[in-house]
Amino acid sequence: MGSRKPRNKVIENVLLLDIAAEGKCIARIDEKVFFVEGGVPGDLVDILVEKDKKSYAEARVYRLKKASDFREPAFCSHFGVCGGCKWQNLNYAKQLELKTKQVKDAMERIGKVTEGEWFPILASEKKTYYRNKLEFTFSDQRWLNEADMAPDAPKDFNGLGFHIPKRFDKILDIDHCYLQPDPSNQIRLWVKEYAEANSLSFFNLKQQTGLLRNLLVRNTTANELMVLLIVAEDKPKETNALLEGLQKSFPQITSLQLILNQKRNDAFSDLKADTFSGKPFVIEEMEDLKFRVGPTSFYQTNAGQALVLYQLVAKLAQVRPTDHVYDLYSGTGTISQFLARKAGSVVGVEYVEAAVADAVENAKQNKLSNTKFFAGDMAKVLNAKFVRENGHPDVLITDPPRAGMHPDVVAAILEMAPERIVYVSCNPATQARDLALMKEAYQIKEIHPVDMFPHTHHVENVVLMEKRIA
Ligand SMILES: C[S@@+](CC[C@H](N)C(=O)[O-])C[C@H]1O[C@@H](n2cnc3c(N)ncnc32)[C@H](O)[C@@H]1O
């Protein structure tokens, strides 16, 4: 929204009808579908057309004419610019309704799923400060707002915060983020202030220059705290001084880690982390289980809701003491160990070697001797030889990343034909695509959407399938 005269075409009085898969609103004008950013369903708006194709158009809200009944005032000062919590202006009940609809649309349109009992979406108890991990990016070219562009505004271009949507090189400097509890905000602000006071260079994402690259903060239900600093230059004197100061100012940090990343991209799960102080991991607790989580390991980010999710998985899996279970994409082995307490044995497979090492150690600490974990790319690991060597699964859990399962993985699952499959997904579109490949052999019994990420359009979905009787 803005008051300057736009260059692109404006269309007045458009009613926003619904939400599309990526969280944008849908409007229909003369039979054409418009994907509109910046509004909520029920808003009457003027829109600015940004892309006009033959079959669809993309636009953003230019002026709000009449607010939808589902609107709520956003509580974050960064709302609208930050890509983080785009649904803060939508009431939570409506968010849940739209997430359920998103899953239903994917199941019907992509998966052509016509069977299965639908269960109400499981709401997240916490709506703010629900994340246990945030990753911030340093930039010497932060995103400038209108106030920054005033002639007398201070010329400070350093930023530490989140990527502006669709702008890989622009970082929004964050004052306060409502996603992670204290002391996440204080730590980020301290690091930025220290870096500026000591003239440490912030990374330039285009030229790939500068020292400070990323900062990751991870807190846990067991009150542990990990800070991981990622630098792009090997400058031990500068980085050590920063880390020493940070540890002194925040004695509650139980694990302080450093990674040197000189690659062109920000991904660091394949890099080695050095422990500067404290332990090389943090401990998470769930029911009577403890999990150590290393700096590069995956752990569900909404810990409270992760427990709800795992309890649901355990309920659907219905493992018996004689069952042999496969847990695919097992991360630090959380689901494996949840189920190992009741199952005969569990085999976990996961890509990140450090996560597998954590899973093995976690099982040992939790005194579970009936688990085995393997590291490798699922499409390569999961084959007839693997099943011969590690036993045929009665029950299979799969929890792939957003891309879903590789077709070879789906084929391998169909080949090994477990009695029951529980498919956990953070992307209903790829889940529906995979279900379409499996539904001839498997009956879809239950569908359970779960909200892990309030104020975003993201939704988790858990599907229970059972082998059809031939
Ligand atoms: C959504 S997470 C699930 C983790 C775990 N089930 C949990 O709940 O904590 C997906 C996991 O898949 C792993 N992964 C991604 N691609 C993979 C691949 N090609 N082969 C094996 N694992 C993969 C990731 O490292 C990540 O740990």
Side-chain angles (χ1 to χ4, degrees), residues 298 300 310 329-331 334-335 350-352 376-378 399-401:
F298 176 90
Q300 289 285 352
Y310 294 150
Y329 309 91
S330 49
T334 30
I335 295 179
E350 159 64 39
Y351 181 72
V352 176
D377 179 358
M378 198 65 65
D399 184 7

Side-chain angles (χ1 to χ4, degrees), residues 136-361:
F136 307 104
T137 304
F138 292 88
S139 167
D140 67 352
Q141 293 289 314
R142 75 180 165 88
W143 181 259
L144 300 179
N145 56 34
E146 269 182 36
D148 291 318
M149 294 196 216
D152 54 348
K155 296 284 166 273
D156 165 19
F157 299 121
N158 285 336
L160 176 53
F162 300 124
H163 283 270
I164 293 280
K166 295 188 207 146
R167 296 294 304 265
F168 88 96
D169 60 329
K170 285 284 183 263
I171 297 299
L172 179 67
D173 192 52
I174 298 288
D175 284 329
H176 186 95
C177 175
Y178 287 85
L179 283 171
Q180 192 174 28
D182 286 348
S184 172
N185 283 302
Q186 292 89 329
I187 287 175
R188 188 192 59 256
L189 294 172
W190 186 96
V191 170
K192 184 175 178 223
E193 205 182 306
Y194 175 96
E196 294 206 307
N198 291 278
S199 307
L200 302 182
S201 54
F202 286 43
F203 201 57
N204 183 298
L205 287 128
K206 272 193 180 155
Q207 288 158 15
Q208 300 273 304
T209 53
L211 174 67
L212 303 172
R213 194 162 180 173
N214 303 94
L215 181 76
L216 184 141
V217 180
R218 204 193 265 270
N219 59 289
T220 77
T221 45
N223 265 331
E224 300 211 329
L225 185 63
M226 174 184 283
V227 178
L228 165 64
L229 178 71
I230 300 173
V231 293
E233 292 171 340
D234 193 10
K235 289 190 170 169
K237 199 168 137 243
E238 284 87 346
T239 27
N240 287 351
L242 186 161
L243 294 174
E244 250 164 50
L246 183 61
Q247 180 73 76
K248 251 194 209 135
S249 302
F250 297 90
Q252 64 272 56
I253 295 175
T254 54
S255 172
L256 189 50
Q257 304 284 324
L258 179 68
I259 284 182
L260 175 65
N261 180 7
Q262 296 184 306
K263 299 185 303 181
R264 282 200 70 81
N265 65 53
D266 274 353
F268 58 87
S269 66
D270 53 338
L271 299 174
K272 191 180 160 295
D274 284 319
T275 303
F276 178 82
S277 61
K279 293 182 289 187
F281 53 82
V282 282
I283 298 286
E284 267 290 0
E285 284 173 348
M286 229 181 241
E287 294 188 341
D288 58 338
L289 297 171
K290 283 191 167 53
F291 300 103
R292 51 183 266 177
V293 184
T296 57
S297 297
F298 176 90
Y299 192 86
Q300 289 285 352
T301 42
N302 180 344
Q305 197 63 348
L307 175 61
V308 172
L309 179 73
Y310 294 150
Q311 285 170 338
L312 172 67
V313 171
K315 193 174 108 196
L316 300 182
Q318 300 164 48
V319 288
R320 293 159 301 189
T322 50
D323 281 339
H324 185 47
V325 180
Y326 273 18
D327 177 20
L328 306 187
Y329 309 91
S330 49
T332 46
T334 30
I335 295 179
S336 304
Q337 293 173 57
F338 238 71
L339 300 183
R341 296 176 298 178
K342 295 212 173 116
S345 47
V346 183
V347 171
V349 183
E350 159 64 39
Y351 181 72
V352 176
E353 285 189 20
V356 171
D358 283 346
V360 171
E361 185 57 32

